[in-house]
Amino acid sequence: MRVSPSTPQRPDPRPGDFAWLAVGGGPHPGVVIRVDSPTRRALVLYGTGTSRELEHRLVRPEGREGKALGLSKPTYFHITNLRLARYELLRLEAKRCPPGLFVELNALALKGLPLMTESQLLQGLPEVQAQSG
Amino acid sequence: MEIALPGILPQEAPVDGMLVLVVRLLRQAARRAAGSWQRVRQSTADEEFLGRVESATERFGRHLLTAQDRDDLRDRVDAVIEDPEFHATLFGLVRRSLDKPGGLEDPLAQEPQLSELSEVEEPLRKVCGPASARAIHQGTRYMAEVLRVLHLYTRQPGVQEALRSEPGLQAAQSLAWEIVYNPDIPPQLARGVLAGQRMGALELAMLAALVRGEPLAPWLGLAVAERWLEEAREYLRLLVALTPGAVVSEELLPAEERLDVEALSLSMQQASRAFRELVEAAERAGEPIYPPEA
């Protein structure tokens, strides 16, 4: 009898989970903000190493929050660094965003969400304009 | 989307108990300057519970008092509130008070007396240093209001029942984090939940300082007092927002700083709709990551 190798079940992401997300050609550290189970998509606020002229939350690697996320350099979570990704594209790690930081990132995401509507995207995200400007 | 705002905090009420008890212990400690805890112990059950508080003071309060700077203090406070034992201490108090109504630490039955707080102010000033005098005075005023409004809050229909439910008592930390990690709870309210816990942690630091009986380094005394004031103020904003009929002076909480629960609820509904539209747009576009790269 053939026994097919069992594949470990990937846990579904939850708000507050740490995840790597491939954006702009490379993996970025991110925090899951919301999930939509029916479509298996997660809203992730990801960080970058470069600061821009946008509202953001900086997390330093030497601080408690940076250590909890395993960051290796100062990381900027900008208001427009939101992506809705299919679960299978998230590389989850067994790390949780500290509660205080999650509340702040969720507040940023709530401000950023209205900028992600189709009509706003057609006009260009502020980050895209900033990068091309 | 509906947010059961009046019901989101029953698990927070143990902080009420913690504060009442801490006030009484602070008063005892202040009266005796330092020393053993024996005189406040009234029964075996009280002793058992007070032993937990003493242990929490040793473990968490002293830990906070070894902070190296303000950033370190902030990090340590957050480490304390993320420790399950901290929550177990808070819930131990509620369980204890439910088992023995009318006991020493009966936060659900007795309204705290403001005179208890006034006894605490001067000893706290001594250990935290003269520079902290204003913050201690203001913090004491906010603490009095927090206790008063929280007492009203726990008397709302449904809150007592929620407090007495077994799951509510057993899942202390996970319930608190369910609020904090719930993206549909307005961040302003989630911050208030965290503030209540941070306030409790800082009170353990103050209690530890009083028990030790030695003045803190001036910067540390000031930092503890200012953080305490800040968290008490934030916590009061939350409690006033969630407690119909709570009246707090404009001086302590100006109208423009108060939280409008209806407006917050509306903004969360809008955010939920924006998220739904984003999901639908991503599905229509068929993009695995949305929006795709420009």
Side-chain angles (χ1 to χ4, degrees):
Chain A
M1 185 181 73
R2 286 185 62 183
V3 178
S4 58
S6 63
T7 308
Q9 187 74 34
R10 268 170 57 105
D12 286 348
R14 301 166 297 163
D17 280 348
F18 174 86
W20 290 98
L21 179 65
V23 184
H28 287 266
V31 172
V32 175
I33 303 293
R34 285 171 179 258
V35 294
D36 184 64
S37 300
T39 59
R40 299 186 62 73
R41 287 179 180 269
L43 183 69
V44 175
L45 185 65
Y46 65 91
T48 61
T50 311
S51 172
R52 296 195 302 272
E53 293 294 319
L54 289 170
E55 189 174 349
H56 65 268
R57 172 62 153 80
L58 169 62
V59 181
R60 297 187 183 281
E62 66 275 15
R64 184 167 178 276
E65 294 167 340
K67 287 177 184 166
L69 297 181
L71 302 178
S72 58
K73 59 183 179 182
T75 303
Y76 299 84
F77 291 86
H78 291 96
I79 189 171
T80 54
N81 284 8
L82 282 169
R83 289 294 183 275
L84 193 62
R86 292 198 193 280
Y87 286 177
E88 63 268 23
L89 295 181
L90 299 178
R91 186 151 58 82
L92 292 171
E93 289 190 7
K95 297 172 190 164
R96 291 282 284 165
C97 178
L101 177 60
F102 179 79
V103 171
E104 292 181 45
L105 296 184
N106 185 34
L108 265 186
L110 287 170
K111 287 185 189 174
L113 259 177
L115 304 173
M116 310 291 286
T117 60
E118 278 180 294
S119 56
Q120 287 290 325
L121 289 170
L122 285 173
Q123 294 172 27
L125 284 171
E127 65 174 315
V128 177
Q129 292 168 342
Q131 282 168 349
S132 60
Chain B
M1 182 200 61
E2 184 177 321
I3 306 170
L5 290 175
I8 71 165
L9 284 185
Q11 60 273 30
E12 270 299 292
V15 174
D16 178 18
M18 184 69 157
L19 296 179
V20 173
L21 183 67
V22 165
V23 167
R24 290 174 185 162
L25 292 176
L26 283 172
R27 187 178 56 165
Q28 292 283 346
R31 281 178 175 172
R32 302 179 60 229
S36 79
W37 300 65
Q38 291 302 317
R39 289 190 193 172
V40 295
R41 291 178 175 168
Q42 298 186 341
S43 69
T44 305
D46 284 340
E47 187 168 337
E48 182 186 332
F49 176 72
L50 288 170
R52 290 187 80 166
V53 176
E54 183 177 0
S55 154
T57 302
E58 284 292 318
R59 177 170 168 182
F60 301 124
R62 286 183 185 272
H63 175 65
L64 296 180
L65 296 183
T66 53
Q68 300 301 303
D69 53 39
R70 282 182 179 251
D71 286 347
D72 189 28
L73 177 66
R74 182 200 60 212
D75 283 354
R76 283 170 188 253
V77 168
D78 280 357
V80 165
I81 69 168
E82 290 172 37
D83 191 314
E85 181 59 29
F86 177 71
H87 294 261
T89 301
L90 300 190
F91 274 74
L93 170 60
V94 170
R95 188 177 293 281
R96 171 72 192 83
S97 66
L98 294 178
D99 289 345
K100 187 194 166 207
L104 169 71
E105 70 289 357
D106 184 9
L108 302 182
Q110 297 173 6
E111 187 163 3
Q113 300 301 310
L114 298 188
S115 59
E116 294 178 295
L117 282 165
S118 61
E119 281 191 49
V120 168
E121 200 176 318
E122 180 55 28
L124 280 179
R125 268 202 297 265
K126 281 186 181 160
V127 290
C128 290
S132 70
R134 189 187 156 279
I136 295 285
H137 179 65
Q138 281 293 92
T140 307
R141 295 179 68 201
Y142 279 104
M143 186 176 182
E145 289 300 282
V146 161
L147 289 169
R148 191 177 60 76
V149 178
L150 197 41
H151 187 78
L152 279 177
Y153 174 80
T154 59
R155 265 137 196 84
Q156 291 183 86
V159 174
Q160 291 272 325
E161 290 74 11
L163 266 177
R164 288 168 197 274
S165 69
E166 278 300 304
L169 287 174
Q170 286 174 356
Q173 189 175 31
S174 62
L175 278 170
W177 288 171
E178 273 177 30
I179 293 173
V180 170
Y181 284 113
N182 183 342
D184 286 325
I185 296 289
Q188 295 89 336
L189 300 187
R191 280 189 200 113
V193 171
L194 289 172
Q197 299 184 357
R198 287 168 173 154
M199 183 183 174
L202 288 157
E203 279 155 7
L204 289 180
M206 291 174 161
L207 191 53
L210 279 174
V211 169
R212 195 168 64 181
E214 293 169 11
L216 300 174
W219 78 266
L220 180 60
L222 182 60
V224 167
E226 287 182 344
R227 275 302 303 274
W228 179 57
L229 165 61
E230 208 174 292
E231 303 299 349
R233 186 182 172 88
E234 187 68 32
Y235 193 36
L236 184 62
R237 289 177 79 205
L238 172 76
L239 293 173
V240 169
L242 297 184
T243 310
V247 178
V248 173
S249 78
E250 281 272 323
E251 182 205 347
L252 286 178
L253 213 53
E256 65 272 17
E257 291 182 18
R258 299 191 186 207
L259 299 173
D260 181 340
V261 173
E262 278 186 29
L264 290 175
S265 188
L266 188 64
S267 73
M268 295 312 294
Q269 288 174 28
Q270 289 168 344
S272 191
R273 274 200 298 275
F275 178 60
R276 173 61 25 214
E277 286 171 15
L278 189 66
V279 169
E280 288 167 1
E283 288 293 292
R284 276 198 303 274
E287 296 285 350
I289 296 180
Y290 187 86
E293 299 303 314

